[in-house]
Amino acid sequence: MTRTELENQTPAAARLRTSWALAAAGSLLLALGPLLGVVDGAEPAFTSWPLLALLALLPPVVAGVLLMRGRPFVAAGLLAVVGVFAVGRLLSDLQIVFDAMNVARPELFRPATLVAVAPATGVWLLIAGHLLVIAGGALAAGRAGMPADESEPPTLVALPVIIAAVAAIGLLGKPFTSADPFQLDRGPWDLPALGLIGGLLVAVAAPLATALAASSPDPDTREGGTIGVTLALLAIVLPPLVTGTVAAGLGISVGPLLALIAALVLPAMPLLARLVRLVRGRRDETADPALPSIRRMHVTAGVLAVLSAAAMIGGAVLPQLVLSTGGAAPGLASANLLWVAGPAFGVLGLLLLVPSTASAVRPALYCAYFAMQLAVASATDPVLDASRLGIAEPGAGFWLMVAELPLGLLALVCASLAGAVERENEDTGEREQVPVAELGAVLLAGLFAVGAFVLPTLRGGDYRGPTVVPDGDPALSWSLLISLVVLVIGLVVALRSRPARGAAVLVGAAVLVGVRALELPLTGDRVEGAVAAPGTWLALASIAALLVAAGLTGARATR
């Protein structure tokens, strides 16, 4: 029995339609609740009901489109996952009924006094909506009783679960920061029992639903589950992020940002799993749709890379901070690094659009992408610090800078698919032995790079630049550690690749180390009396060795 025959199976089709109707009705109530008001005596921190309505209605709309396009089991997986998240959200909203003043939900209401607020009609609509969504998800679970007509071993089960676990960690943190004495910034751990259990269930739902979906042998269930987790996470984390951005006295917190990044990365996992099956030579021509041509994937990757670079450059041009008082915020020296990584990534994206250079420059994209993340990590920390102190809020430049991450990641996925198809279609032959000169240059570059990331690049007064050893800025230390690991992996890949591809990897590695080397000249103004520390000189030495190795490898490719 095929999936297109579902409409002939009246009981199963009726159950799926009923499941969708219940979820749609529940989502409609979730959209109406904030519009009518959930409490008496307090107003939302901003006009939030359009955003909340959009987030509430998005799952049934997507599921309805899937049903109309003949993808009922994908829709069923989506509705089932959204229902799993609705259990924790139900308990969290019930906390408003019993003790609203202990709830940190400024998108629904923001207290302006210490006088307790009373629950209103809207909160009962929210509770009823969650119950209907749970019922619809329960009915959709197990593909509405229909067996799968396809079975395909799951691939990359652990990676989506790890990403969802990152989202769970973010959901357990504070939803925002607050300088308002009347608006608490409590996370799940700070709430009474009902709110605590609800917050924990929401956090656990992310890795649990992802694991159940990713381990399913049915590809439609995996796809629908991934979409469901993404939509559910967006509905949870976008309201506090928007609140922290637009509401005076409130700022964004790291937790929702982590969950948002995880939600945006998860949809790329099915493409990555397809890539792994392709590399292993196990792609199922019937289960996996035909991949686009190499040229089309190069163009797609190039466009996404250019858009990602444009977002980063926009982040450097527009204000990163907006003062809470409404005045102009000072420019951040840490944002100067965006001018290095963004244009470099954009140039690679433009070269991907040119057929004669696309294959040659594609391997450089990976290290260049992490160079952008290193620059973003450096620029993010002062923005979050100012937001936590309540003296400023993230500006348009910050949000553009953050937008580069998913765009660049999608560019990497498309580039990886193009590389996998290219390797499948070409006979790579025996791997050539790496000459001693090239091997020595690569090893020297790696040794210098380790020193560049382990040792500080600048110092001045009592200030010592961040390194891979966590100190006062653990987030940036983690970024440096990840960059170093990526760099070392890139050097190993370069030695094992064909000469032309290896040269491109080495050039990308030089861009990554370059961001580290330019920390002093571009951001040294923020430190009084800043001078070069050993990390700067080692980074410059590593760049020189990388360029020499890339030149030698490129010359060997032309022989």
Side-chain angles (χ1 to χ4, degrees):
M1 180 178 63
T2 63
R3 298 175 195 276
T4 56
E5 294 171 345
L6 178 66
E7 54 269 26
N8 297 326
Q9 311 298 321
T10 304
R15 289 184 63 180
L16 280 176
R17 286 195 294 269
T18 302
S19 170
W20 179 85
L22 288 172
S27 297
L28 184 60
L29 293 180
L30 293 176
L32 288 175
L35 178 62
L36 298 180
V38 299
V39 297
D40 293 324
E43 297 295 329
F46 66 103
T47 306
S48 60
W49 69 264
L51 172 65
L52 298 177
L54 173 65
L55 295 173
L57 295 173
L58 200 54
V61 169
V62 174
V65 171
L66 290 169
L67 285 171
M68 289 188 293
R69 296 189 62 181
R71 306 294 302 279
F73 295 148
V74 180
L78 187 160
L79 295 174
V81 165
V82 172
V84 172
F85 278 88
V87 177
R89 298 185 67 187
L90 169 65
L91 296 182
S92 296
D93 286 348
L94 274 174
Q95 184 66 57
I96 300 176
V97 176
F98 295 101
D99 190 1
M101 296 301 286
N102 275 320
V103 175
R105 299 287 296 278
E107 73 275 11
L108 295 178
F109 64 97
R110 181 177 183 176
T113 67
L114 294 177
V115 178
V117 296
T121 305
V123 72
W124 301 112
L125 293 181
L126 291 181
I127 292 170
H130 288 311
L131 290 173
L132 289 174
V133 171
I134 293 170
L139 195 60
R143 299 175 302 277
M146 290 288 293
D149 59 79
E150 298 176 3
S151 180
E152 173 195 312
T155 308
L156 293 182
V157 176
L159 185 56
V161 176
I162 292 173
I163 295 172
V166 172
I169 294 172
L171 294 174
L172 292 174
K174 291 184 179 297
F176 51 86
T177 61
S178 175
D180 182 352
F182 299 113
Q183 176 60 71
L184 302 176
D185 57 354
R186 292 182 171 181
W189 301 109
D190 305 315
L191 297 176
L194 194 60
L196 170 62
I197 295 173
L200 292 178
L201 287 177
V202 169
V204 171
L208 176 62
T210 302
L212 292 175
S215 60
S216 172
D218 179 24
D220 277 4
T221 299
R222 294 201 294 269
E223 182 180 353
T226 300
I227 298 173
V229 172
T230 295
L231 294 179
L233 286 176
L234 291 178
I236 295 168
V237 302
L238 281 181
L241 285 175
V242 175
T243 301
T245 303
V246 304
L250 305 182
I252 61 171
S253 180
V254 176
L257 276 177
L258 285 176
L260 175 63
I261 292 171
L264 296 176
V265 170
L266 274 175
M269 289 302 102
L271 283 176
L272 188 58
R274 189 185 306 173
L275 170 63
V276 171
R277 290 194 296 272
L278 181 63
V279 171
R280 293 177 178 177
R282 299 175 182 173
R283 190 168 74 91
D284 189 336
E285 297 295 339
T286 59
D288 287 334
L291 291 170
S293 66
I294 296 177
R295 174 64 187 147
R296 183 174 298 178
M297 285 185 281
H298 277 158
V299 170
T300 304
V303 170
L304 289 169
V306 170
L307 290 175
S308 179
M312 175 165 277
I313 295 171
V317 172
L318 297 176
Q320 291 273 320
L321 283 172
V322 176
L323 294 180
S324 300
T325 58
L332 298 177
S334 55
N336 291 336
L337 287 173
L338 304 180
W339 286 108
V340 178
F345 197 70
V347 169
L348 293 176
L350 291 174
L351 292 175
L352 280 173
L353 301 176
V354 181
S356 60
T357 60
S359 295
V361 304
R362 185 186 62 238
L365 209 64
Y366 303 95
C367 284
Y369 174 75
F370 283 94
M372 289 207 304
Q373 308 322 310
L374 184 58
V376 167
S378 178
T380 298
D381 192 64
V383 176
L384 297 183
D385 285 343
S387 179
R388 282 191 290 267
L389 293 173
I391 60 177
E393 300 173 357
F398 176 83
W399 294 113
L400 275 176
M401 181 181 69
V402 172
E404 62 79 22
L405 191 150
L407 291 171
L409 188 62
L410 290 174
L412 291 192
V413 171
C414 294
S416 300
L417 286 171
V421 174
E422 186 179 71
R423 284 188 293 273
E424 185 182 47
N425 295 337
E426 293 183 3
D427 181 15
T428 58
E430 288 188 26
R431 191 166 61 244
E432 300 179 31
Q433 186 174 2
V434 179
V436 175
E438 291 178 30
L439 180 60
V442 171
L443 291 178
L444 279 176
L447 290 174
F448 290 144
V450 170
F453 284 90
V454 170
L455 298 175
T457 56
L458 64 90
R459 62 173 182 266
D462 296 330
Y463 179 81
R464 176 178 173 272
T467 68
V468 296
V469 180
D471 191 7
D473 191 356
L476 188 52
S477 294
W478 275 105
S479 299
L480 291 170
L481 180 59
I482 293 171
S483 299
L484 179 58
V485 171
V486 169
L487 178 66
V488 172
I489 293 174
L491 297 182
V492 174
V493 170
L495 292 174
R496 295 175 59 86
S497 301
R498 288 170 286 174
R501 307 296 185 263
V505 173
L506 294 172
V507 171
V511 174
L512 176 55
V513 182
V515 172
R516 180 67 170 162
L518 291 171
E519 183 177 355
L520 171 64
L522 294 182
T523 70
D525 292 344
R526 59 195 170 99
V527 179
E528 185 176 356
V531 295
T536 295
W537 307 115
L538 289 170
L540 292 173
S542 178
I543 293 171
L546 285 168
L547 294 178
V548 169
L552 293 173
T553 306
R556 180 159 57 95
T558 60
R559 295 172 192 165

